[in-house]
Amino acid sequence: MPHTDEAGYRSGNRQGCLKGTRGDVFLQLEHWLKDEQDHRVFWLNGLAGTGKSTIAKTFAKISFADGILGASFFCSRDFEDRSNLQAIFPTIAFQLAYRYPLFREQLLRVLRATPGLRRESLCSQMERIIIGPLKATRIRTLIIIDALDECKDEEPASAILSVLSRYVDNIPKVKFFITGRPEPQIRSGFRLKPLRPITEVLRLHDVERSLVDSDIKLFLKVQLSDIAKTRSDDSFTEDWPSSSDIDLLCKKAAGLFIYASTVVKFIESRRHTPTERLNLIISLPQSTTHEGKSGIDPLYTQVLEQAFCDVESDEEELYSHFRSVVGMVLLALNPLPIKVLSTLLKRSDISTTLHSLHSVLLFPTNKDDPIQAFHKSFPDFLTDPKRCKDERFFISPSVHHQEILLSCLSLMKEGLKRNICNLDNCAIIRDISTQRKDHIGAALEYACQHWTKHLVSVPSNGHNVEEVHKAVDEFFTNHLLFWIEILVIMGVLDAGVYAINDIRQWYTSVSCA
């Protein structure tokens, strides 16, 4: 029977979790396995680099040792046969037949009658070689599908999840553990009506931060200590790595497991001294350059290419819009909600543009909460031309700070006016929160408070700097007093003093250029 040999959890060099880490996750999985209720599907949802596949590998190993695992398919876009949807069900059926003699007997009957099943539709495959034999044998088992988002799929909702939603009720004794980034197709698949009530979801990026940090510290301590033990030709202090070094690395990891793994790979390079490599990382506490080039950057490149895989490379308008929206998300002085982003950019399709970036951006469940990058390395990557070498995605800080500045000035030009909150002479400023929300709004407040910070990031010899001059001059001519009024209402009049200094600083740099 045609199948993919390398898709099983024991194939290749996949790494599992370090012993003692991810205890909270495995405890939840253990409860899910033992639960006899309706949750027969488990979606391990996580942003890029949060450790989904590592957990899946370990969970497969544990459940196999316990006699529960029936089959596993670890998808990978790097291999044709492991990114092909048509290979998943035949491989799972093959593994189930190898594992359970009763299943094998049923499957052989189907194959003798229909030898060309691999070429049939996913529905036909699922019904004949998975559902039929499982219903006949009533086997209780676990099936694992890892990294489902890495399969080539043209459907708006995951084709595999669509098929699963149709048939899962026919095999109540079988549980499915599925991992995948929160890409649009995967999210749509798990929203299907038959799947939603029977699916338990764990979002790795929502796991309590202290638990994640504890695991990352343990991982770093063990891995770096092992490097010291195996590098007898190098000299190490007795306490290397120090607790303070581990704490700093953990802080830089900010909950991203791939960061910790990348740091270890960077430090253990045979062509360098481990102590020097560690010093490189901790001497630049605000930089992710070394870690990015060592492993995180290819991940981000993959995510972006996948998000735009169905877009022609010459559709510059679409990529320009992407850069404007993502530039605003990443360069805003504080994270902003979609509604505020839409108002500042004067675009109603912000959600559509960001639709495919759920793997690298944190999207709140409350639409009034801000969108932000999950890890600092993502904005670092996109704004560094040496790291983000694809011009379609590169966010030039100077260009986009100017774009944000002009958006702020345009919004203030349209929105600022005398007595904007319609206050009478007896109004008490501290009690007008409702009027602020109704008459000013978060977008205009952001523009009033932060526009000069974007101004000072615009090069004095930049492109279209004359447009900036004109917009600033117009602002001072017609809107200065109204701007001060809003700062008073917001209770941040002192920000106006700093803003004037920013403006003076920028004009000085222009005159000296």
Side-chain angles (χ1 to χ4, degrees):
M1 180 177 176
H3 62 281
T4 303
D5 281 324
E6 299 299 315
Y9 86 93
R10 287 182 290 184
S11 300
N13 59 352
R14 301 185 190 96
Q15 298 297 313
C17 297
L18 179 69
K19 186 177 181 180
T21 62
R22 295 298 203 179
D24 55 314
V25 174
F26 291 118
L27 184 61
Q28 185 168 339
L29 290 176
E30 181 183 347
H31 289 161
W32 169 71
L33 274 179
K34 292 179 179 178
D35 187 6
E36 298 292 337
Q37 301 305 312
D38 290 335
H39 285 158
R40 282 165 280 141
V41 179
F42 194 108
W43 177 25
L44 186 67
N45 171 346
L47 304 183
T50 48
K52 300 177 296 298
S53 291
T54 308
I55 291 173
K57 159 77 174 179
T58 305
F59 185 47
K61 182 179 179 180
I62 293 171
S63 55
F64 180 82
D66 291 341
I68 301 171
L69 181 67
S72 60
F73 194 102
F74 281 69
C75 309
S76 173
R77 62 169 52 90
D78 296 329
F79 300 93
E80 176 63 29
D81 54 356
R82 286 168 52 197
S83 61
N84 183 358
L85 292 175
Q86 296 293 129
I88 294 180
F89 291 144
T91 301
I92 288 174
F94 177 87
Q95 293 181 21
L96 289 171
Y98 189 86
R99 176 78 174 80
Y100 304 108
L102 290 177
F103 185 97
R104 181 164 62 248
E105 291 176 11
Q106 296 294 323
L107 180 62
L108 285 172
R109 294 177 186 177
V110 176
L111 294 178
R112 290 189 185 106
T114 319
L117 266 170
R118 181 158 186 170
R119 295 186 296 274
E120 294 195 4
S121 69
L122 292 176
C123 283
S124 180
Q125 287 182 352
M126 181 70 164
E127 185 173 4
R128 296 194 186 193
I129 63 177
I130 303 290
I131 300 299
L134 285 174
K135 283 182 68 176
T137 56
R138 297 184 62 81
I139 292 170
R140 184 183 300 274
T141 191
L142 168 68
I143 294 172
I144 293 176
I145 302 176
D146 175 63
L148 184 56
D149 57 282
E150 299 212 7
C151 279
K152 299 169 184 174
D153 191 346
E154 304 299 326
E155 299 299 321
S158 165
I160 291 292
L161 295 178
S162 297
V163 173
L164 184 61
S165 71
R166 184 179 303 183
Y167 293 104
V168 70
D169 283 339
N170 294 324
I171 46 174
K173 292 181 179 295
V174 179
K175 292 201 169 189
F176 289 84
F177 175 77
I178 299 170
T179 78
R181 300 171 186 169
E183 302 290 4
Q185 289 172 312
I186 307 297
R187 298 198 314 275
S188 297
F190 279 111
R191 289 189 187 121
L192 292 170
K193 190 174 181 180
L195 273 188
R196 184 178 291 185
I198 64 170
T199 301
E200 184 170 337
V201 181
L202 172 59
R203 297 174 178 84
L204 284 179
H205 45 280
D206 289 342
V207 172
E208 188 177 336
R209 181 61 179 275
S210 62
L211 297 175
V212 178
D213 285 350
S214 178
D215 287 346
I216 288 178
K217 285 182 181 181
L218 177 59
F219 173 83
L220 290 168
K221 181 67 176 177
V222 170
Q223 296 293 327
L224 295 183
S225 296
D226 285 347
I227 291 174
K229 293 174 185 175
T230 57
R231 297 286 285 271
S232 57
D233 52 333
D234 294 311
S235 59
F236 298 90
T237 60
E238 187 175 342
D239 66 339
W240 191 91
S242 69
S243 297
S244 59
D245 290 343
I246 295 295
D247 288 344
L248 180 56
L249 291 176
C250 180
K251 184 177 180 180
K252 290 190 70 175
L256 194 65
F257 264 86
I258 195 174
Y259 176 94
S261 177
T262 300
V263 164
V264 170
K265 292 176 184 176
F266 180 79
I267 293 173
E268 70 181 357
S269 170
R270 283 285 173 182
R271 295 181 290 108
H272 301 86
T273 303
T275 52
E276 292 178 353
R277 299 286 270 188
L278 176 57
N279 288 337
L280 271 177
I281 299 292
I282 63 176
S283 65
L284 299 171
Q286 301 304 316
S287 171
T288 62
T289 300
H290 294 302
E291 304 91 309
K293 292 179 179 178
S294 300
I296 298 177
D297 291 357
L299 174 68
Y300 293 142
T301 299
Q302 180 192 85
V303 168
L304 292 170
E305 289 178 347
Q306 184 69 14
F308 289 87
C309 63
D310 57 347
V311 177
E312 296 295 330
S313 59
D314 59 352
E315 292 190 30
E316 176 53 34
E317 182 178 353
L318 187 147
Y319 288 109
S320 175
H321 180 41
F322 162 84
R323 292 191 295 270
S324 293
V325 174
V326 177
M328 175 72 84
V329 171
L330 301 184
L331 297 177
L333 275 299
N334 53 263
L336 301 172
I338 282 185
K339 185 177 180 180
V340 176
L341 294 169
S342 297
T343 303
L344 283 166
L345 290 175
K346 297 180 181 177
R347 301 198 66 127
S348 59
D349 54 355
I350 301 294
S351 295
T352 303
T353 303
L354 300 175
H355 186 59
S356 298
L357 295 179
H358 280 68
S359 291
V360 287
L361 298 177
L362 281 172
F363 288 77
T365 53
N366 186 338
K367 64 180 181 179
D368 294 326
D369 289 336
I371 297 173
Q372 53 192 311
F374 176 60
H375 192 265
K376 183 179 182 295
S377 56
F378 183 57
D380 286 354
F381 163 74
L382 280 182
T383 55
D384 186 343
K386 294 180 180 178
R387 295 172 63 180
C388 182
K389 298 180 181 178
D390 191 329
E391 293 183 356
R392 295 175 300 169
F393 306 123
F394 172 59
I395 307 294
S396 171
S398 60
V399 169
H400 292 285
H401 273 298
Q402 178 170 318
E403 194 172 297
I404 298 170
L405 165 68
L406 293 174
S407 295
C408 290
L409 288 168
S410 174
L411 185 63
M412 290 191 292
K413 179 179 179 180
E414 296 170 0
L416 292 178
K417 62 179 182 179
R418 182 176 181 179
N419 194 15
I420 192 170
C421 290
N422 298 324
L423 303 176
D424 57 38
N425 294 334
C426 300
I428 301 175
I429 295 296
R430 66 174 180 271
D431 295 330
I432 61 168
S433 57
T434 301
Q435 292 95 318
R436 274 181 61 180
K437 183 177 180 180
D438 293 342
H439 296 283
I440 302 177
L444 185 55
E445 287 194 359
Y446 177 89
C448 289
Q449 188 168 359
H450 297 298
W451 70 273
T452 61
K453 295 302 180 186
H454 294 291
L455 175 67
V456 294
S457 296
V458 175
S460 55
N461 57 350
H463 181 63
N464 285 342
V465 72
E466 297 82 6
E467 184 179 359
V468 175
H469 272 288
K470 182 178 178 181
V472 174
D473 288 346
E474 198 276 340
F475 169 82
F476 274 106
T477 302
N478 299 308
H479 309 290
L480 177 61
L481 294 179
F482 306 147
W483 171 60
I484 293 174
E485 178 187 334
I486 284 190
L487 295 181
V488 171
I489 292 173
M490 292 172 60
V492 292
L493 183 58
D494 56 331
V497 178
Y498 295 109
I500 297 299
N501 288 334
D502 290 336
I503 297 165
R504 181 186 296 121
Q505 175 186 333
W506 186 77
Y507 270 97
T508 301
S509 67
V510 170
S511 62
C512 294

